[in-house]
Amino acid sequence: MSATTTDPQIEIVNPADGRAVGTVPNVGRAEVERIVGDVRAAQPAWEALGAKGRSTWLAKFRDWLLDHADEIADVLQSETGKPRAEARIEAPMMADLINYYNSNGAKFLADESVGAHGLLTMQKKMLKVFRPYPVVGIITPWNFPLVMPLIDGIPALMAGAGVLIKPSEVTPLTAQLIERGWTDIGAPPILRIVTGLGATGEAVVDAVDYVQFTGSTPTGRKIAQACAGQLKPYSLELGGKDPAIVLADADVDRAVNGVTWGGLMNSGQVCISVERVYVEAPIYDEFVAKLARKVGSLRQGADDRSFAHDVGALATTDQQTIVDGQVTSAIAAGARAVTGGKPGSTGTFYEPTVLVDVDHSMACMREETFGPTIPVMKVADEAEAIRLANDSPFGLSATVWTSDIKRGMAVARQIEAGAVNINDAFINLFEFGLPHGGWKDSGVGARLGGEQGVRKYCRVQSITAPRIPTLHAEPLWYPYSPTKMKAVGGLLRMLVARDLGRILGRTKDKDHA
């Protein structure tokens, strides 16, 4: 990708070999505002369809995604350098997400009846009604060009909102396929894509009614400040430095396999990648030896449709520089790379790397890497592992590896993170009923989470209505009088007091006794 803020077009390149694969417009503020206006105008009709009507269109879109899965994977690979296996999984995953919300959306969005708290409201019908924000703006990173826009866009659409997606300028071509697919099925014009640099994202934040952002913590802080200044709701999924704790009773082979995939899938460019590992001393040497062999056996390269490689390229040269800087500085401070440790010979590849002899003075253990590195640290016991796992400004997710599930649950409850997987990696993202949100500097709010995953894009409205015929005036209404207020006060006292003396007014105000 190469462009300046004033360039009308952005060139997209394949990071595996640097070749140009397309261009997209660098959309300006006026055009963003015009598109938001169009979406806002179309949104009421979309909301009026109801959850079942909207699910019909989402089902058609699901079928389009599945029918075009190979084309989507081709485009994904062209702008990310992903292996075919990882590019091919995104469309089916989003089809499954559509199935989840199509099956549950009507239930999640149905009016909720609220029971009366006391006699004053027993004669009322009371409802919670879920009304969508007119336009939801979704700003996404480059690591999963289909999943990141749709994991938020699908529940927002189910909620009845219009959706404007601003993808990363590094990987916008896949997002353009999203809009093309929505148009191809003839769906209402309430899902749009705008491409561009940071100024385009700023315009989206200012123009929409709700902002969902996924990206770096510094950018997330700026978006939060902008939204706060406009009293605009937002949700942020930000950086992570996810720990893995490998206890001495773990199945070492499973832990090695899980940590390898959890740390290196998508070249480590996953929000919940395993980015640091704490291993209890009794199994440390065995774990490191097996991990080095496993990681060293992985096939890295520019993939085609043949599933020939396991690990692809990094998305940008900047990301390659960050990864190399962390590895180089760690080695200079005394760490060792038992496998890998160098940039690839072409493109933005970086060798899958296992670092040992690391400690918390090193950036590879403190700062988000977002690359194919696995630093491993020996710990004396479970307590030290938990303490070090929590010694971070981030708290997105974690993994615990143990043969004792009860022990794993106890450890999980002590980790300061939004999700903990025991003896697995990433699995929480495939259960859409679970919330996915970060603690500490890893975010605000959550995506997914069953009913909350769709209700987050709604404003909750309270509605009351009489159940029985009403009087011309209620007792509390004007005019006030001593007689009426004494009767009303006695009634209220009878309703709220919990002992006979106070019901009968026999207690005295201590200040006036």
Side-chain angles (χ1 to χ4, degrees), residues 93 262 278 337 446 458:
M93 184 178 177
Y278 304 99
C458 295

Side-chain angles (χ1 to χ4, degrees), residues 343-423:
S345 59
T346 61
T348 58
F349 291 99
Y350 198 90
E351 294 177 346
T353 300
V354 176
L355 292 171
V356 297
D357 299 334
V358 295
D359 59 50
H360 272 218
S361 69
M362 301 175 182
C364 68
M365 296 294 284
R366 302 290 303 174
E367 300 173 11
E368 185 173 39
T369 305
F370 229 57
T373 65
I374 305 177
V376 186
M377 185 172 175
K378 183 191 297 186
V379 295
D381 53 27
E382 172 187 307
E384 184 182 17
I386 294 169
R387 177 179 63 79
L388 291 171
N390 290 336
D391 181 21
S392 172
F394 299 110
L396 196 53
S397 77
T399 63
V400 178
W401 304 85
T402 176
S403 61
D404 184 343
I405 302 304
K406 184 177 180 180
R407 183 187 184 193
M409 293 288 286
V411 171
R413 290 174 182 272
Q414 298 175 69
I415 296 175
E416 297 167 357
V420 181
N421 292 310
I422 299 171
N423 294 339

Side-chain angles (χ1 to χ4, degrees), residues 424-445:
D424 215 326
F426 301 163
I427 193 64
N428 59 298
L429 284 182
F430 293 89
E431 177 43 67
F432 307 128
L434 289 172
H436 178 59
W439 294 9
K440 301 191 281 190
D441 286 359
S442 288
V444 175

Side-chain angles (χ1 to χ4, degrees), residues 64 68 179-187:
W64 187 94
H68 293 78
E179 184 171 15
R180 194 193 95 194
W182 192 255
T183 301
D184 282 354
I185 65 173

Side-chain angles (χ1 to χ4, degrees), residues 109-411:
L109 295 167
D111 296 349
E112 283 191 1
S113 179
V114 177
H117 165 63
L119 292 175
L120 285 178
T121 54
M122 285 188 66
Q123 78 281 18
K124 298 293 184 182
K125 180 179 181 179
M126 295 173 289
L127 295 176
K128 287 194 295 185
V129 176
F130 302 95
R131 300 279 307 282
Y133 290 98
V135 183
V136 170
I138 299 171
I139 303 174
T140 63
W142 35 257
N143 55 341
F144 292 95
L146 187 77
V147 167
M148 287 293 100
L150 290 182
I151 202 169
D152 300 304
I154 288 166
L157 289 168
M158 173 52 73
V163 173
L164 180 67
I165 296 169
K166 192 278 177 190
S168 167
E169 62 271 22
V170 176
T171 56
L173 301 179
T174 305
Q176 288 187 323
L177 288 181
I178 293 172
E179 184 171 15
R180 194 193 95 194
W182 192 255
T183 301
D184 282 354
I185 65 173
I190 43 75
L191 173 60
R192 299 292 305 274
I193 307 293
V194 291
T195 56
L197 302 176
T200 307
E202 292 173 6
V204 170
V205 170
D206 291 340
V208 300
D209 305 300
Y210 184 105
V211 177
Q212 166 65 51
F213 171 75
T214 305
S216 72
T217 297
T219 301
R221 292 185 191 279
K222 293 178 182 177
I223 289 176
Q225 291 168 356
C227 289
Q230 301 174 55
L231 298 180
K232 182 176 296 184
Y234 60 89
S235 180
L236 310 172
E237 184 187 306
L238 307 176
K241 191 68 181 175
D242 292 2
I245 294 177
V246 184
L247 300 175
D249 65 352
D251 177 337
V252 175
D253 290 329
R254 180 171 178 84
V256 164
N257 288 328
V259 166
T260 300
W261 188 66
L264 302 180
M265 190 266 187
N266 200 34
S267 296
Q269 299 169 121
V270 185
C271 57
I272 56 173
S273 288
V274 173
E275 291 220 352
R276 51 197 172 109
V277 185
Y278 304 99
V279 185
E280 281 195 291
I283 62 166
Y284 174 82
D285 290 339
E286 179 188 2
F287 178 87
V288 168
K290 289 183 173 180
L291 181 67
R293 285 197 296 271
K294 181 71 176 182
V295 172
S297 72
L298 298 178
R299 304 163 299 170
Q300 184 177 47
D303 213 357
D304 51 21
R305 286 186 167 192
S306 63
F307 302 93
H309 296 93
D310 304 306
V311 182
L314 291 164
T316 67
T317 55
D318 287 345
Q319 200 58 36
Q320 185 189 51
T321 299
I322 290 170
V323 174
D324 190 47
Q326 288 192 10
V327 172
T328 300
S329 65
I331 292 173
R336 293 183 295 119
V338 294
T339 188
K342 301 188 299 296
S345 59
T346 61
T348 58
F349 291 99
Y350 198 90
E351 294 177 346
T353 300
V354 176
L355 292 171
V356 297
D357 299 334
V358 295
D359 59 50
H360 272 218
S361 69
M362 301 175 182
C364 68
M365 296 294 284
R366 302 290 303 174
E367 300 173 11
E368 185 173 39
T369 305
F370 229 57
T373 65
I374 305 177
V376 186
M377 185 172 175
K378 183 191 297 186
V379 295
D381 53 27
E382 172 187 307
E384 184 182 17
I386 294 169
R387 177 179 63 79
L388 291 171
N390 290 336
D391 181 21
S392 172
F394 299 110
L396 196 53
S397 77
T399 63
V400 178
W401 304 85
T402 176
S403 61
D404 184 343
I405 302 304
K406 184 177 180 180
R407 183 187 184 193
M409 293 288 286
V411 171

